[in-house]
mmCIF file of all heavy atoms in Angstrom:
data_model
loop_
_atom_site.group_PDB
_atom_site.id
_atom_site.type_symbol
_atom_site.label_atom_id
_atom_site.label_comp_id
_atom_site.label_asym_id
_atom_site.label_seq_id
_atom_site.Cartn_x
_atom_site.Cartn_y
_atom_site.Cartn_z
ATOM 1 N N VAL A 1455 0.505 12.352 -3.892
ATOM 2 C CA VAL A 1455 0.227 11.113 -4.597
ATOM 3 C C VAL A 1455 -1.199 11.166 -5.103
ATOM 4 O O VAL A 1455 -2.129 11.379 -4.342
ATOM 5 C CB VAL A 1455 0.419 9.905 -3.664
ATOM 6 C CG1 VAL A 1455 0.067 8.612 -4.379
ATOM 7 C CG2 VAL A 1455 1.856 9.860 -3.160
ATOM 8 N N ARG A 1456 -1.399 10.970 -6.427
ATOM 9 C CA ARG A 1456 -2.724 11.095 -7.028
ATOM 10 C C ARG A 1456 -3.181 9.799 -7.691
ATOM 11 O O ARG A 1456 -4.138 9.805 -8.442
ATOM 12 C CB ARG A 1456 -2.723 12.237 -8.055
ATOM 13 C CG ARG A 1456 -2.541 13.609 -7.414
ATOM 14 C CD ARG A 1456 -2.433 14.689 -8.462
ATOM 15 N NE ARG A 1456 -2.334 16.001 -7.862
ATOM 16 C CZ ARG A 1456 -3.339 16.870 -7.785
ATOM 17 N NH1 ARG A 1456 -4.521 16.554 -8.263
ATOM 18 N NH2 ARG A 1456 -3.173 18.050 -7.233
ATOM 19 N N ALA A 1457 -2.488 8.698 -7.467
ATOM 20 C CA ALA A 1457 -2.901 7.408 -8.010
ATOM 21 C C ALA A 1457 -2.325 6.318 -7.126
ATOM 22 O O ALA A 1457 -1.383 6.538 -6.372
ATOM 23 C CB ALA A 1457 -2.406 7.250 -9.450
ATOM 24 N N LYS A 1458 -2.932 5.136 -7.200
ATOM 25 C CA LYS A 1458 -2.429 4.029 -6.385
ATOM 26 C C LYS A 1458 -2.218 2.805 -7.271
ATOM 27 O O LYS A 1458 -2.867 2.646 -8.309
ATOM 28 C CB LYS A 1458 -3.390 3.712 -5.243
ATOM 29 C CG LYS A 1458 -4.768 3.207 -5.677
ATOM 30 C CD LYS A 1458 -5.655 2.983 -4.464
ATOM 31 C CE LYS A 1458 -7.053 2.515 -4.867
ATOM 32 N NZ LYS A 1458 -7.945 2.363 -3.714
ATOM 33 N N GLU A 1459 -1.315 1.954 -6.842
ATOM 34 C CA GLU A 1459 -0.932 0.776 -7.619
ATOM 35 C C GLU A 1459 -1.734 -0.439 -7.173
ATOM 36 O O GLU A 1459 -1.897 -0.692 -5.973
ATOM 37 C CB GLU A 1459 0.561 0.513 -7.418
ATOM 38 C CG GLU A 1459 1.079 -0.727 -8.099
ATOM 39 C CD GLU A 1459 2.544 -0.956 -7.782
ATOM 40 O OE1 GLU A 1459 3.216 0.006 -7.363
ATOM 41 O OE2 GLU A 1459 3.009 -2.096 -7.949
ATOM 42 N N CYS A 1460 -2.234 -1.187 -8.157
ATOM 43 C CA CYS A 1460 -2.928 -2.431 -7.847
ATOM 44 C C CYS A 1460 -1.898 -3.479 -7.419
ATOM 45 O O CYS A 1460 -0.922 -3.718 -8.143
ATOM 46 C CB CYS A 1460 -3.702 -2.924 -9.071
ATOM 47 S SG CYS A 1460 -4.413 -4.573 -8.853
ATOM 48 N N PRO A 1461 -2.083 -4.115 -6.265
ATOM 49 C CA PRO A 1461 -1.099 -5.106 -5.812
ATOM 50 C C PRO A 1461 -1.100 -6.386 -6.655
ATOM 51 O O PRO A 1461 -0.136 -7.142 -6.624
ATOM 52 C CB PRO A 1461 -1.553 -5.409 -4.375
ATOM 53 C CG PRO A 1461 -3.019 -5.091 -4.358
ATOM 54 C CD PRO A 1461 -3.175 -3.928 -5.297
ATOM 55 N N ALA A 1462 -2.156 -6.590 -7.435
ATOM 56 C CA ALA A 1462 -2.244 -7.804 -8.230
ATOM 57 C C ALA A 1462 -1.608 -7.673 -9.607
ATOM 58 O O ALA A 1462 -0.918 -8.576 -10.070
ATOM 59 C CB ALA A 1462 -3.708 -8.223 -8.382
ATOM 60 N N CYS A 1463 -1.837 -6.514 -10.285
ATOM 61 C CA CYS A 1463 -1.355 -6.398 -11.672
ATOM 62 C C CYS A 1463 -0.508 -5.149 -11.909
ATOM 63 O O CYS A 1463 -0.067 -4.907 -13.024
ATOM 64 C CB CYS A 1463 -2.530 -6.409 -12.651
ATOM 65 S SG CYS A 1463 -3.535 -4.907 -12.608
ATOM 66 N N GLN A 1464 -0.301 -4.310 -10.889
ATOM 67 C CA GLN A 1464 0.528 -3.104 -10.959
ATOM 68 C C GLN A 1464 -0.055 -1.982 -11.828
ATOM 69 O O GLN A 1464 0.632 -1.036 -12.162
ATOM 70 C CB GLN A 1464 1.964 -3.418 -11.451
ATOM 71 C CG GLN A 1464 2.808 -4.188 -10.445
ATOM 72 C CD GLN A 1464 2.398 -5.628 -10.343
ATOM 73 O OE1 GLN A 1464 2.346 -6.339 -11.352
ATOM 74 N NE2 GLN A 1464 2.083 -6.094 -9.151
ATOM 75 N N SER A 1465 -1.312 -2.101 -12.234
ATOM 76 C CA SER A 1465 -1.943 -0.985 -12.940
ATOM 77 C C SER A 1465 -2.161 0.165 -11.972
ATOM 78 O O SER A 1465 -2.347 -0.043 -10.768
ATOM 79 C CB SER A 1465 -3.296 -1.409 -13.533
ATOM 80 O OG SER A 1465 -3.107 -2.320 -14.588
ATOM 81 N N LEU A 1466 -2.138 1.404 -12.513
ATOM 82 C CA LEU A 1466 -2.415 2.573 -11.691
ATOM 83 C C LEU A 1466 -3.902 2.882 -11.748
ATOM 84 O O LEU A 1466 -4.514 2.898 -12.808
ATOM 85 C CB LEU A 1466 -1.609 3.775 -12.176
ATOM 86 C CG LEU A 1466 -0.094 3.661 -11.998
ATOM 87 C CD1 LEU A 1466 0.593 4.911 -12.506
ATOM 88 C CD2 LEU A 1466 0.269 3.412 -10.545
ATOM 89 N N ASN A 1467 -4.481 3.144 -10.588
ATOM 90 C CA ASN A 1467 -5.904 3.419 -10.455
ATOM 91 C C ASN A 1467 -6.106 4.716 -9.696
ATOM 92 O O ASN A 1467 -5.218 5.195 -8.978
ATOM 93 C CB ASN A 1467 -6.600 2.290 -9.685
ATOM 94 C CG ASN A 1467 -6.704 1.003 -10.478
ATOM 95 O OD1 ASN A 1467 -7.767 0.641 -10.942
ATOM 96 N ND2 ASN A 1467 -5.583 0.294 -10.641
ATOM 97 N N ALA A 1468 -7.317 5.277 -9.821
ATOM 98 C CA ALA A 1468 -7.667 6.434 -9.013
ATOM 99 C C ALA A 1468 -7.567 6.070 -7.543
ATOM 100 O O ALA A 1468 -7.846 4.941 -7.142
ATOM 101 C CB ALA A 1468 -9.089 6.901 -9.345
ATOM 102 N N LEU A 1469 -7.190 7.056 -6.727
ATOM 103 C CA LEU A 1469 -7.006 6.779 -5.312
ATOM 104 C C LEU A 1469 -8.298 6.304 -4.646
ATOM 105 O O LEU A 1469 -8.268 5.547 -3.683
ATOM 106 C CB LEU A 1469 -6.498 8.040 -4.603
ATOM 107 C CG LEU A 1469 -5.017 8.365 -4.811
ATOM 108 C CD1 LEU A 1469 -4.706 9.711 -4.225
ATOM 109 C CD2 LEU A 1469 -4.137 7.304 -4.197
ATOM 110 N N ASN A 1470 -9.437 6.772 -5.141
ATOM 111 C CA ASN A 1470 -10.697 6.377 -4.516
ATOM 112 C C ASN A 1470 -11.328 5.147 -5.165
ATOM 113 O O ASN A 1470 -12.456 4.797 -4.867
ATOM 114 C CB ASN A 1470 -11.692 7.544 -4.535
ATOM 115 C CG ASN A 1470 -11.967 8.030 -5.937
ATOM 116 O OD1 ASN A 1470 -11.323 7.601 -6.893
ATOM 117 N ND2 ASN A 1470 -12.922 8.943 -6.073
ATOM 118 N N ALA A 1471 -10.594 4.471 -6.067
ATOM 119 C CA ALA A 1471 -11.133 3.269 -6.710
ATOM 120 C C ALA A 1471 -11.197 2.124 -5.700
ATOM 121 O O ALA A 1471 -10.290 1.923 -4.895
ATOM 122 C CB ALA A 1471 -10.259 2.867 -7.890
ATOM 123 N N ARG A 1472 -12.286 1.355 -5.752
ATOM 124 C CA ARG A 1472 -12.425 0.174 -4.905
ATOM 125 C C ARG A 1472 -12.161 -1.101 -5.691
ATOM 126 O O ARG A 1472 -11.953 -2.164 -5.112
ATOM 127 C CB ARG A 1472 -13.839 0.136 -4.312
ATOM 128 C CG ARG A 1472 -14.099 1.229 -3.287
ATOM 129 C CD ARG A 1472 -13.174 1.085 -2.100
ATOM 130 N NE ARG A 1472 -13.401 2.119 -1.104
ATOM 131 C CZ ARG A 1472 -12.598 2.333 -0.066
ATOM 132 N NH1 ARG A 1472 -11.501 1.605 0.074
ATOM 133 N NH2 ARG A 1472 -12.858 3.285 0.789
ATOM 134 N N THR A 1473 -12.211 -0.996 -7.041
ATOM 135 C CA THR A 1473 -11.979 -2.147 -7.907
ATOM 136 C C THR A 1473 -10.974 -1.771 -8.978
ATOM 137 O O THR A 1473 -11.103 -0.717 -9.603
ATOM 138 C CB THR A 1473 -13.290 -2.605 -8.568
ATOM 139 O OG1 THR A 1473 -14.253 -2.876 -7.558
ATOM 140 C CG2 THR A 1473 -13.068 -3.857 -9.409
ATOM 141 N N CYS A 1474 -9.952 -2.590 -9.213
ATOM 142 C CA CYS A 1474 -8.948 -2.304 -10.229
ATOM 143 C C CYS A 1474 -9.588 -2.326 -11.617
ATOM 144 O O CYS A 1474 -10.336 -3.254 -11.955
ATOM 145 C CB CYS A 1474 -7.822 -3.332 -10.169
ATOM 146 S SG CYS A 1474 -6.593 -3.124 -11.497
ATOM 147 N N VAL A 1475 -9.267 -1.300 -12.421
ATOM 148 C CA VAL A 1475 -9.866 -1.192 -13.750
ATOM 149 C C VAL A 1475 -9.320 -2.249 -14.708
ATOM 150 O O VAL A 1475 -9.917 -2.511 -15.748
ATOM 151 C CB VAL A 1475 -9.615 0.211 -14.339
ATOM 152 C CG1 VAL A 1475 -10.244 1.265 -13.467
ATOM 153 C CG2 VAL A 1475 -8.126 0.486 -14.504
ATOM 154 N N THR A 1476 -8.190 -2.858 -14.368
ATOM 155 C CA THR A 1476 -7.565 -3.829 -15.272
ATOM 156 C C THR A 1476 -7.902 -5.269 -14.919
ATOM 157 O O THR A 1476 -8.347 -6.049 -15.764
ATOM 158 C CB THR A 1476 -6.037 -3.649 -15.275
ATOM 159 O OG1 THR A 1476 -5.735 -2.315 -15.692
ATOM 160 C CG2 THR A 1476 -5.368 -4.630 -16.228
ATOM 161 N N CYS A 1477 -7.711 -5.632 -13.649
ATOM 162 C CA CYS A 1477 -7.861 -7.044 -13.285
ATOM 163 C C CYS A 1477 -9.036 -7.323 -12.359
ATOM 164 O O CYS A 1477 -9.336 -8.483 -12.075
ATOM 165 C CB CYS A 1477 -6.579 -7.557 -12.643
ATOM 166 S SG CYS A 1477 -6.270 -6.874 -10.987
ATOM 167 N N GLY A 1478 -9.688 -6.281 -11.849
ATOM 168 C CA GLY A 1478 -10.845 -6.480 -10.993
ATOM 169 C C GLY A 1478 -10.520 -6.666 -9.526
ATOM 170 O O GLY A 1478 -11.430 -6.917 -8.712
ATOM 171 N N HIS A 1479 -9.259 -6.558 -9.129
ATOM 172 C CA HIS A 1479 -8.899 -6.673 -7.715
ATOM 173 C C HIS A 1479 -9.717 -5.686 -6.881
ATOM 174 O O HIS A 1479 -9.887 -4.526 -7.264
ATOM 175 C CB HIS A 1479 -7.408 -6.381 -7.529
ATOM 176 C CG HIS A 1479 -7.018 -6.190 -6.092
ATOM 177 N ND1 HIS A 1479 -6.802 -7.246 -5.236
ATOM 178 C CD2 HIS A 1479 -6.818 -5.055 -5.360
ATOM 179 C CE1 HIS A 1479 -6.481 -6.773 -4.039
ATOM 180 N NE2 HIS A 1479 -6.476 -5.451 -4.091
ATOM 181 N N GLU A 1480 -10.232 -6.131 -5.754
ATOM 182 C CA GLU A 1480 -11.032 -5.283 -4.885
ATOM 183 C C GLU A 1480 -10.223 -4.892 -3.661
ATOM 184 O O GLU A 1480 -9.683 -5.749 -2.961
ATOM 185 C CB GLU A 1480 -12.319 -5.988 -4.468
ATOM 186 C CG GLU A 1480 -13.281 -6.236 -5.629
ATOM 187 C CD GLU A 1480 -14.592 -6.825 -5.171
ATOM 188 O OE1 GLU A 1480 -14.771 -6.989 -3.946
ATOM 189 O OE2 GLU A 1480 -15.449 -7.117 -6.034
ATOM 190 N N TRP A 1481 -10.150 -3.593 -3.412
ATOM 191 C CA TRP A 1481 -9.469 -3.108 -2.226
ATOM 192 C C TRP A 1481 -10.414 -3.156 -1.021
ATOM 193 O O TRP A 1481 -11.594 -2.781 -1.135
ATOM 194 C CB TRP A 1481 -9.001 -1.660 -2.413
ATOM 195 C CG TRP A 1481 -7.702 -1.504 -3.117
ATOM 196 C CD1 TRP A 1481 -6.456 -1.556 -2.588
ATOM 197 C CD2 TRP A 1481 -7.520 -1.249 -4.520
ATOM 198 N NE1 TRP A 1481 -5.497 -1.353 -3.562
ATOM 199 C CE2 TRP A 1481 -6.126 -1.160 -4.761
ATOM 200 C CE3 TRP A 1481 -8.389 -1.095 -5.602
ATOM 201 C CZ2 TRP A 1481 -5.592 -0.904 -6.016
ATOM 202 C CZ3 TRP A 1481 -7.870 -0.845 -6.848
ATOM 203 C CH2 TRP A 1481 -6.481 -0.762 -7.050
ATOM 204 N N THR A 1482 -9.909 -3.610 0.100
ATOM 205 C CA THR A 1482 -10.653 -3.447 1.342
ATOM 206 C C THR A 1482 -10.283 -2.101 1.912
ATOM 207 O O THR A 1482 -9.314 -1.458 1.497
ATOM 208 C CB THR A 1482 -10.275 -4.551 2.347
ATOM 209 O OG1 THR A 1482 -8.891 -4.388 2.699
ATOM 210 C CG2 THR A 1482 -10.480 -5.932 1.749
ATOM 211 N N ARG A 1483 -11.040 -1.631 2.879
ATOM 212 C CA ARG A 1483 -10.759 -0.307 3.422
ATOM 213 C C ARG A 1483 -9.371 -0.245 4.039
ATOM 214 O O ARG A 1483 -8.709 0.786 4.003
ATOM 215 C CB ARG A 1483 -11.822 0.082 4.441
ATOM 216 C CG ARG A 1483 -11.684 1.507 4.952
ATOM 217 C CD ARG A 1483 -12.957 1.998 5.581
ATOM 218 N NE ARG A 1483 -14.044 2.081 4.622
ATOM 219 C CZ ARG A 1483 -14.225 3.105 3.805
ATOM 220 N NH1 ARG A 1483 -13.395 4.129 3.819
ATOM 221 N NH2 ARG A 1483 -15.237 3.119 2.964
ATOM 222 N N ASP A 1484 -8.883 -1.364 4.574
ATOM 223 C CA ASP A 1484 -7.552 -1.357 5.182
ATOM 224 C C ASP A 1484 -6.466 -1.148 4.148
ATOM 225 O O ASP A 1484 -5.376 -0.691 4.471
ATOM 226 C CB ASP A 1484 -7.306 -2.676 5.915
ATOM 227 C CG ASP A 1484 -8.163 -2.810 7.155
ATOM 228 O OD1 ASP A 1484 -8.607 -1.752 7.670
ATOM 229 O OD2 ASP A 1484 -8.384 -3.946 7.586
ATOM 230 N N GLU A 1485 -6.727 -1.509 2.865
ATOM 231 C CA GLU A 1485 -5.721 -1.363 1.824
ATOM 232 C C GLU A 1485 -5.638 0.059 1.310
ATOM 233 O O GLU A 1485 -4.707 0.409 0.627
ATOM 234 C CB GLU A 1485 -6.048 -2.276 0.637
ATOM 235 C CG GLU A 1485 -5.761 -3.734 0.878
ATOM 236 C CD GLU A 1485 -6.050 -4.511 -0.376
ATOM 237 O OE1 GLU A 1485 -7.214 -4.868 -0.592
ATOM 238 O OE2 GLU A 1485 -5.101 -4.761 -1.150
ATOM 239 N N ALA A 1486 -6.646 0.867 1.554
ATOM 240 C CA ALA A 1486 -6.694 2.214 0.977
ATOM 241 C C ALA A 1486 -5.533 3.041 1.497
ATOM 242 O O ALA A 1486 -5.202 2.999 2.681
ATOM 243 C CB ALA A 1486 -8.008 2.898 1.340
ATOM 244 N N PRO A 1487 -4.866 3.821 0.642
ATOM 245 C CA PRO A 1487 -3.731 4.629 1.076
ATOM 246 C C PRO A 1487 -4.159 5.740 2.018
ATOM 247 O O PRO A 1487 -5.319 6.153 2.029
ATOM 248 C CB PRO A 1487 -3.176 5.196 -0.236
ATOM 249 C CG PRO A 1487 -4.329 5.165 -1.173
ATOM 250 C CD PRO A 1487 -5.137 3.981 -0.789
ATOM 251 N N LYS A 1488 -3.216 6.241 2.786
ATOM 252 C CA LYS A 1488 -3.507 7.295 3.750
ATOM 253 C C LYS A 1488 -3.995 8.567 3.079
ATOM 254 O O LYS A 1488 -4.650 9.388 3.691
ATOM 255 C CB LYS A 1488 -2.256 7.597 4.586
ATOM 256 C CG LYS A 1488 -1.810 6.411 5.440
ATOM 257 C CD LYS A 1488 -0.559 6.745 6.211
ATOM 258 C CE LYS A 1488 -0.089 5.578 7.051
ATOM 259 N NZ LYS A 1488 1.161 5.889 7.795
ATOM 260 N N HIS A 1489 -3.642 8.747 1.804
ATOM 261 C CA HIS A 1489 -4.023 9.971 1.106
ATOM 262 C C HIS A 1489 -5.448 9.921 0.575
ATOM 263 O O HIS A 1489 -5.908 10.858 -0.040
ATOM 264 C CB HIS A 1489 -3.088 10.208 -0.082
ATOM 265 C CG HIS A 1489 -1.655 10.380 0.322
ATOM 266 N ND1 HIS A 1489 -0.850 9.310 0.597
ATOM 267 C CD2 HIS A 1489 -0.905 11.487 0.493
ATOM 268 C CE1 HIS A 1489 0.369 9.745 0.913
ATOM 269 N NE2 HIS A 1489 0.355 11.059 0.852
#
């Protein structure tokens, strides 16, 4: 898996992104995928 889905707008982001490039949703460390 080389991308992750934003739970707010379903845009695909880099796995290491902390902020969604489309809607600005911020991931907490607990949301980060295992990969």
Side-chain angles (χ1 to χ4, degrees):
V1455 177
R1456 293 175 177 257
K1458 64 182 178 183
E1459 176 183 341
C1460 172
C1463 71
Q1464 290 74 54
S1465 291
L1466 293 180
N1467 289 254
L1469 283 172
N1470 58 352
R1472 291 298 180 190
T1473 304
C1474 175
V1475 299
T1476 301
C1477 70
H1479 168 80
E1480 294 185 3
W1481 276 275
T1482 65
R1483 186 161 296 277
D1484 290 338
E1485 285 183 276
K1488 296 178 181 179
H1489 299 81

